[in-house]
């Protein structure tokens, strides 16, 4: 087959081209012709199609995402901001941290194991390309109805993929989320977060600088997997009756990724690299055009030098392939031998595929023929930008007006006890241990906190004890009820989870999962969520350091709930000061921080018991949230808190149950006076935490809260000597003041209900 | 002179830094050994760490057996050099025939990471001398292929000769025959164990510090043998 050369494109200006099949719109194709002053070659068309895809170009989201760059809080900790592979934050002592979350939703539905596995691989390469050593991963996941047979296929495949890849790679998996909702039935969400650490001087950027420098492609060989992954797969709505899209999914090799990490960190630390870029979505097209666009502006590539797994691949396929475990480095000619020696040490194949020039063009040749000649910026950065129409849909009125007020509520002690037992075992609240026990949380030996704790915490410096905590959260039902407030509530919960563990919240990343941007209602949800998050970050002083947008999570006309997953990173001076979630000793006092209101719209209770979604989500006072975080951090720093746990999904009842199950020790708690016991137990009002303090610091702690004018209520005491009503259980959670009565819940009883759900559904 | 304990890194080793940290916390000096370097650099003992050497794409530990450093290690083992294989390291030891039996896919077919209770059954090996028989310890376990198997005769022999060093308690997490979590050779210098003592050496990051005993055992054994002094 003959290759379509630049000279062919000039000679045959009207040859028909398959731009629509590659995911390009008519007007986008016309713009490419205008930029080039001719029709593109088939290789150029391939490059533009992947780079101008929604996934790579952010063409629908860009106009809204700009808010993260304009509403920037005063915060001196940002070292590298949005636009690079991942943002970098200063955590003191010369240490920097980079973290980012990305989606791998579509591939994970089509091919769960490989989709989830390569999701980790991709985010890890983003982190190493900043010069950081990856130190932990987390996976926020969303699945459809747990009783639907396809959920079993998807969940077990995804969990095996995350474990199979992450465990072999040697990164502790320290947290994440698993949430079920039928809105994700045909569109599960697989987001992957990675945290990396480095010294300030080790930060690297994706730039092809230095005329005459070599462009080296190293890592795995290029194969035919994942062709069009970003364009055909990630940037289109699933068609219910369409053909399977499995060939567009990449296949991962975690062993190669592990070698790639060690090899990359060694060449970076040896000072052998001028610029570096990972190959993920859009493969060589992305890496070469971004490196050239960020650097001197010109690059020449000999595409036939690329090492292949399949010698029959065409140049278009090589340019578009998303084969995993590949990196691209820019290296001075004098350092090429040293670079190659490190690659050889790690058994990593490497080849010089190009060089940097000042032509202002990205040129690619294939066996002596020019097949690409484009301005790199037009491929990498100056793609189309859409001002998609957006409008609040009329059905929002109905949704917000039909609140949970009329749902049947438990109204006596026996019904409260029964509700408690039922709620403990709902798929969303039940123990996720069956899943997380398939992930290695110990490797590297620096995991201080991992699931089911509020945040994952990693020791960064073994000498000083400096550490970081990360949490990801999103109650998408809140976002479905009000996307602006829902995004803020997701952020607030994540912020709180970091503070509960004793870390100071510092920076934000996000993975914005939405339906089709071509639907004005979805676009409105997106605009609202981004604005809500940007406003909250500005007010709280925590900048957004980067993130990812995933559109087209929709099958036919049915979109997922808007799901802006928010990751917050915090820093803790000494990880010894961390606050765990479980109480420890008899006599410790249990306090509730915050105010509980009748706020059950979008709650797990409304969802699980009544399949109800309507009303307005809980209110949020960001100033109070900040105040609470300061109390929690001070309580940790001054050693006043022996335990703390955030109150969110499932309300105070769930918080107490989780603390008791984690601890194994009983407690006696009394429902606050002046509020309906059911509301007190299951409302999901924001800005609350349950904390445990020792008697000898009680006065001091209460005084601190009162000085800060933050509501604090003593609700109970840790007590291992309680007897269950039935006498059957050794450790019990006793709740007084439940409609004038006392109920008791055996901790073993709760635990067996909590731990039974996931194995029953998926084991 | 402080005892020097080598930790071998194969491509795909993951817990090598953890093993080195455990050696240091126990009071020894850790020495990094490289799979391609056929030299043990005069270390006093060696740890084969956990991980997925060569991706475990053939059988776990099967390719590591052919690494240049392993030829030296096998000879040294026969000469009495103390060697501890943890998880993937245990798999390498059985593949290299320094220990009998094999490690197979967990019976429930899932990777499992949990805090595992063990009972110490042997305190005559150089890696377990600081324990008492019957000690119950809690250390992390994390493996996909940790089911210990051997023929009945070998199992009888291991038990008869007191070569089982630890057994799983409460839960058998992977279908290991006779609840075996770790074994030693007759000389007591080579020990393989599936759970991870190196992940239980600090209160902050492990469920307990019970794993330290393996590392203090070897350091004391070396000192008592007069091989090194403190």
């Amino acid at each position: 087959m003959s290759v379509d050369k630049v000279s062919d494109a000039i000679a045959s200006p009207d040859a028909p081209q398959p731009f629509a099949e590659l995911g390009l719109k008519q007007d986008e194709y016309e713009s490419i012709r205008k930029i080039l002053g001719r029709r593109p070659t088939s290789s150029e068309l391939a490059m533009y199609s992947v780079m101008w895809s929604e996934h790579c170009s952010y063409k629908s989201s860009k106009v809204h995402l700009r808010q993260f760059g304009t509403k920037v809080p005063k915060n001196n900790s940002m070292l590298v901001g949005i636009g690079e592979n991942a943002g970098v934050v200063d955590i003191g002592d010369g240490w920097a941290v980079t973290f980012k979350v990305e989606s791998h939703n579509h591939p994970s539905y089509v091919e769960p194991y490989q989709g989830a596995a390569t999701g980790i691989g991709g985010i890890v390469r983003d982190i190493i390309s900043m010069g950081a050593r990856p130190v932990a991963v987390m996976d926020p996941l969303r699945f459809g109805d747990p009783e639907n047979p396809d959920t079993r296929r998807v969940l077990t495949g995804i969990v095996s993929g995350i474990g199979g890849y992450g465990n072999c790679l040697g990164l502790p998996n320290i947290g994440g989320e698993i949430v079920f909702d039928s809105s994700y039935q045909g569109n599960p969400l697989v987001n992957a977060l990675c945290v990396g650490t480095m010294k300030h001087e080790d930060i690297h950027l994706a730039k092809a600088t230095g005329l005459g420098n070599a462009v080296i492609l190293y890592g795995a060989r290029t194969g035919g997997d994942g062709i069009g992954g970003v364009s055909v797969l990630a940037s289109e709505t699933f068609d219910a009756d369409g053909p399977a899209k499995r060939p567009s999914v990449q296949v991962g090799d975690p062993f190669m990724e592990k070698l790639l990490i060690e090899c990359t960190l060694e060449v970076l630390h040896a000072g052998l690299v001028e610029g570096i870029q990972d190959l993920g979505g859009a493969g060589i097209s992305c890496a070469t055009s971004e490196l050239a666009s960020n650097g001197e502006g010109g690059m020449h590539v000999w595409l036939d030098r690329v090492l292949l797994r399949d010698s029959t691949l065409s140049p278009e396929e090589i340019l578009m392939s998303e084969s995993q475990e590949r990196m691209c480095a820019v290296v001075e000619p004098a350092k090429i031998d040293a670079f190659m020696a490190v690659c050889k040490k790690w058994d990593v194949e490497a080849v010089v595929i190009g060089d940097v020039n000042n032509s202002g063009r990205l040129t690619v040749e294939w066996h002596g023929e020019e097949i690409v000649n484009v301005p790199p910026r037009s491929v990498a950065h100056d793609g189309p930008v859409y001002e998609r129409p957006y409008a609040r849909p009329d059905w929002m009125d109905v949704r917000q007006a039909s609140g949970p007020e009329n749902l049947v509520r438990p109204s006596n002690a026996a019904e409260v006890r029964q509700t408690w037992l039922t709620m403990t075992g709902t798929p969303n609240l039940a123990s996720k241990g069956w899943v997380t026990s398939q992930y290695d949380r110990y490797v590297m030996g620096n995991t201080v906190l991992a699931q089911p704790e509020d945040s994952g915490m990693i020791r960064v410096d073994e000498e000083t004890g400096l550490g970081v905590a990360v949490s990801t959260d999103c109650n998408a039902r809140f976002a479905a009820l009000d996307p602006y407030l829902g995004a803020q509530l997701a952020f607030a919960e994540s912020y709180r989870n970091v503070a509960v563990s004793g870390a100071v919240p510092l920076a934000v990343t996000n993975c914005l999962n939405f339906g089709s941007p071509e639907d004005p209602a979805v676009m409105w949800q997106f605009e609202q969520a981004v604005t809500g998050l940007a406003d909250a970050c500005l007010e709280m002083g925590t900048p957004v350091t980067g993130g990812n947008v995933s559109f087209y999570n929709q099958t036919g006309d049915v979109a997922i709930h808007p799901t802006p997953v928010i990751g917050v990173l915090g820093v803790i001076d000494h990880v010894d000061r961390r606050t765990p979630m479980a109480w420890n000793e008899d006599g410790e006092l249990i306090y509730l921080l915050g105010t509980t209101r009748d706020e059950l719209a979008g709650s797990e209770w409304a969802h699980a018991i009544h399949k109800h979604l309507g009303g307005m989500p809980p209110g949020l006072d960001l100033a109070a949230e900040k105040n609470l975080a300061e109390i929690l951090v001070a309580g940790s720093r001054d050693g006043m808190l022996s335990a703390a746990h955030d109150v969110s999904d499932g309300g105070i009842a769930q918080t107490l149950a989780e603390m008791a199950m984690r601890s194994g020790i009983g407690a006696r708690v009394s429902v606050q006076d002046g509020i309906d016991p059911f509301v007190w137990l299951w409302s999901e009002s924001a800005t609350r935490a349950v904390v445990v303090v020792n008697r000898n610091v009680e006065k001091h702690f209460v005084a601190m809260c009162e000085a800060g004018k933050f509501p604090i209520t003593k609700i109970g005491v840790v007590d291992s000597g309680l007897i269950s009503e039935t006498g059957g259980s050794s450790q019990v959670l006793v709740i007084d003041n439940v409609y004038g009565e006392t109920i008791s819940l055996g901790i073993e009883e709760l635990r067996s209900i909590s731990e039974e759900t996931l194995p029953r559904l998926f084991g | 002179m402080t005892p020097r304990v080598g930790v071998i890194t194969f491509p795909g080793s993951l817990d090598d830094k953890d093993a080195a940290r455990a050696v240091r916390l126990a009071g020894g000096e850790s020495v990094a050994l490289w799979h391609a370097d056929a030299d043990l650099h005069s270390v006093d003992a060696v740890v084969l760490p956990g991980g997925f050497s060569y991706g475990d794409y053939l059988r776990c530990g099967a390719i590591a057996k052919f690494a240049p450093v392993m030829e030296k290690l096998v000879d040294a083992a026969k000469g009495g050099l103390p060697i501890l294989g943890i998880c993937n390291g245990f798999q390498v030891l059985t593949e290299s025939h320094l220990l009998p039996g094999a490690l197979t896919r967990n019976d429930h077919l899932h990777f499992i990471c949990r805090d595992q209770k063990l009972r110490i059954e042997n305190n005559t090996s150089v890696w377990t001398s600081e324990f008492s028989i019957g000690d119950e310890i809690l250390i992390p376990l994390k493996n996909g292929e940790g089911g210990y198997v051997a023929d009945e005769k070998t199992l009888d022999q291991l038990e008869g000769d007191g070569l089982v060093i630890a057994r799983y308690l409460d839960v058998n997490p992977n279908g290991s025959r006779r609840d075996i979590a770790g074994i030693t050779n007759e000389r007591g210098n080579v020990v393989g164990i599936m759970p991870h003592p190196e992940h239980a050496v600090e209160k902050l990051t492990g469920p307990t510090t019970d794993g330290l005993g393996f590392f203090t055992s070897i350091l004391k054994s070396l000192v008592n043998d007069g091989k090194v002094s403190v």
Side-chain angles (χ1 to χ4, degrees), chain A residues 514-567:
Chain A
F514 288 77
S516 168
E518 296 164 39
D519 177 346
V522 170
M523 211 52 219
W524 172 78
Q525 292 173 329
F526 181 77
E527 182 273 335
Q528 287 287 298
V530 170
T531 306
L533 179 59
D535 288 348
C537 288
L538 180 62
E539 185 169 344
M540 301 291 268
T542 46
V544 174
T545 62
N548 175 244
V549 176
S550 173
F551 278 131
Y552 296 100
N553 294 290
Q554 128 166 19
T555 301
D557 291 337
V558 186
I560 59 163
H561 287 331
T563 312
V565 171
I566 313 297

Side-chain angles (χ1 to χ4, degrees), chain A residues 133 160 167-170 252-256 258-259 262 345-347 434 436-448 459 462 575-576 578, chain B residues 9-18 21 24 34-35 52-57 110-115 140-142 199 202-207:
Chain A
R133 172 170 284 282
S160 301
N167 296 338
C168 184
L169 193 55
D253 174 357
F255 172 59
M256 177 51 79
K258 167 69 179 170
L259 299 184
E262 301 303 334
K345 173 185 167 189
W346 289 102
D347 294 325
W434 182 80
T436 55
S437 69
Q438 298 182 49
Y439 306 153
D440 183 350
R441 61 182 177 276
Y442 281 111
V443 65
M444 297 183 112
N446 285 311
T447 305
V448 177
R459 175 173 60 184
E462 288 191 43
V575 288
D576 274 349
R578 77 211 178 281
Chain B
T9 298
F10 299 97
S13 290
L14 303 177
D15 301 311
D16 43 349
K17 293 196 173 65
D18 303 77
R21 181 191 295 116
R24 286 197 305 275
W34 182 243
H35 71 108
F52 291 72
S53 56
Y54 304 91
D56 281 346
Y57 286 147
H110 292 294
F111 184 95
I112 176 100
C113 176
R114 69 189 304 270
D115 298 339
L141 168 121
K142 40 170 215 175
H199 286 319
E202 291 180 279
K203 257 202 137 161
L204 191 65
T205 53

Side-chain angles (χ1 to χ4, degrees), chain A residues 330-374:
Chain A
V330 177
V331 178
E332 286 177 15
K335 293 176 178 169
I336 293 174
D337 288 346
F339 185 98
M340 294 297 181
V342 175
C343 290
K344 192 161 192 294
K345 173 185 167 189
W346 289 102
D347 294 325
V348 169
E349 288 189 307
V351 64
V352 175
I353 61 160
D355 59 22
V356 178
N357 59 41
N358 58 1
S359 66
R361 309 289 286 187
L362 171 61
T363 49
V364 177
E365 73 174 71
W366 176 255
H367 297 294
E369 309 275 12
E370 185 172 69
I371 57 169
V372 171
N373 187 330
V374 296

